[in-house]
Amino acid sequence: MKFKSLLFALFLMNQVGYSQEKTEPKKNKLQLDSSFIVGFIYPIEFGNTALSKGHNANLGLTSSFGLLKYNTISAGIGLDMVIYSVKDKQIIGDYDNSKHNSYFGFVKYDYNLTKKISLSPNIGYGYSELVIRKNNKRRGAQDGTELRLGTLISYNFNKLNSLCFSIMYVNNNYDVKTNESLQDFFSKSNSIQIGVVYRTQ
């Protein structure tokens, strides 16, 4: 519910910012970025990690909005939420699922391949949290950092609206205190994250 409320608040802030821009933006000038993205993501975990070996990923949500733009380079902030079902309780413990939240900043570069198709390589970094849950109640959490690298491939219906396919490499490092031999297993995760999102600007 908090995630949905935050998405709604970000959308309203984005629309207010956009409505205040009455004139055509000038090129070669730093300006506010009114872009907003919302959609679905699915992480494909790999490697010898707890998320990869002990969980099954489910469809998640992503959202981001722009802050500043200079020509075709822009920066903004975003958030992701994915729930992983526990598949091996011998590894993870007697829990139902783990909820992964990430809050990140990003920089991207927009490049038009054709009038309708554009490419947006991007890199991001931020805070991540893995919450362990049972019976929909929080039983523990691990804080960490997240590095993201990937691109958006967009089909542009017009200057304002696009349908995008995203592919990202996502690396997480969590603050976990455990046996040294298990440190990497529980404190790291790696995934290829694919998604379908709607973008307006």
Side-chain angles (χ1 to χ4, degrees):
M1 190 67 183
K2 291 182 179 179
F3 186 83
K4 292 181 179 178
S5 299
L6 185 55
L7 283 182
F8 182 68
L10 292 178
F11 180 76
L12 286 180
M13 289 170 61
N14 174 266
Q15 294 305 307
V16 169
Y18 175 73
S19 65
Q20 291 175 345
E21 294 295 320
K22 298 294 186 180
T23 60
E24 187 71 20
K26 297 179 181 180
K27 294 183 178 181
N28 301 318
K29 184 179 179 180
L30 188 65
Q31 57 191 288
L32 293 177
D33 183 5
S34 62
S35 63
F36 178 79
I37 285 177
V38 63
F40 299 99
I41 50 175
Y42 182 79
I44 303 170
E45 297 288 335
F46 63 90
N48 188 35
T49 69
L51 276 182
S52 175
K53 302 298 184 181
H55 293 80
N56 285 324
N58 297 295
L59 200 64
L61 297 174
T62 185
S63 177
S64 65
F65 71 99
L67 296 176
L68 296 172
K69 185 174 184 178
Y70 183 82
N71 288 348
T72 56
I73 299 174
S74 57
I77 58 176
L79 59 155
D80 289 354
M81 188 275 287
V82 179
I83 295 177
Y84 293 82
S85 302
V86 173
K87 70 176 180 180
D88 193 334
K89 293 189 176 183
Q90 288 186 335
I91 296 176
I92 307 303
D94 188 21
Y95 302 106
D96 296 330
N97 56 63
S98 297
K99 181 182 178 184
H100 184 270
N101 303 311
S102 58
Y103 310 88
F104 54 89
F106 67 88
V107 176
K108 68 180 179 69
Y109 171 77
D110 293 321
Y111 177 75
N112 292 325
L113 297 176
T114 68
K115 288 184 178 180
K116 289 291 185 180
I117 300 175
S118 61
L119 198 65
S120 302
N122 61 88
I123 185 170
Y125 185 80
Y127 165 80
S128 60
E129 177 188 44
L130 189 65
V131 180
I132 302 169
R133 306 193 304 178
K134 183 176 176 63
N135 298 325
N136 290 322
K137 293 183 179 179
R138 182 187 180 109
R139 300 300 184 184
Q142 300 166 355
D143 298 328
T145 58
E146 181 172 288
L147 174 67
R148 311 161 58 85
L149 181 65
T151 190
L152 277 176
I153 303 171
S154 306
Y155 179 81
N156 306 308
F157 298 109
N158 49 49
K159 291 183 178 180
L160 299 179
N161 302 287
S162 305
L163 183 65
C164 312
F165 171 77
S166 66
I167 181 166
M168 303 287 297
Y169 165 69
V170 181
N171 170 265
N172 281 278
N173 286 278
Y174 305 106
D175 184 15
V176 177
K177 301 294 188 294
T178 186
N179 187 288
E180 187 176 347
S181 63
L182 297 173
Q183 186 69 31
D184 286 350
F185 184 78
F186 285 105
S187 68
K188 298 181 183 298
S189 71
N190 296 282
S191 68
I192 299 297
Q193 185 188 94
I194 57 176
V196 177
V197 301
Y198 167 75
R199 178 170 68 177
T200 182
Q201 52 191 358

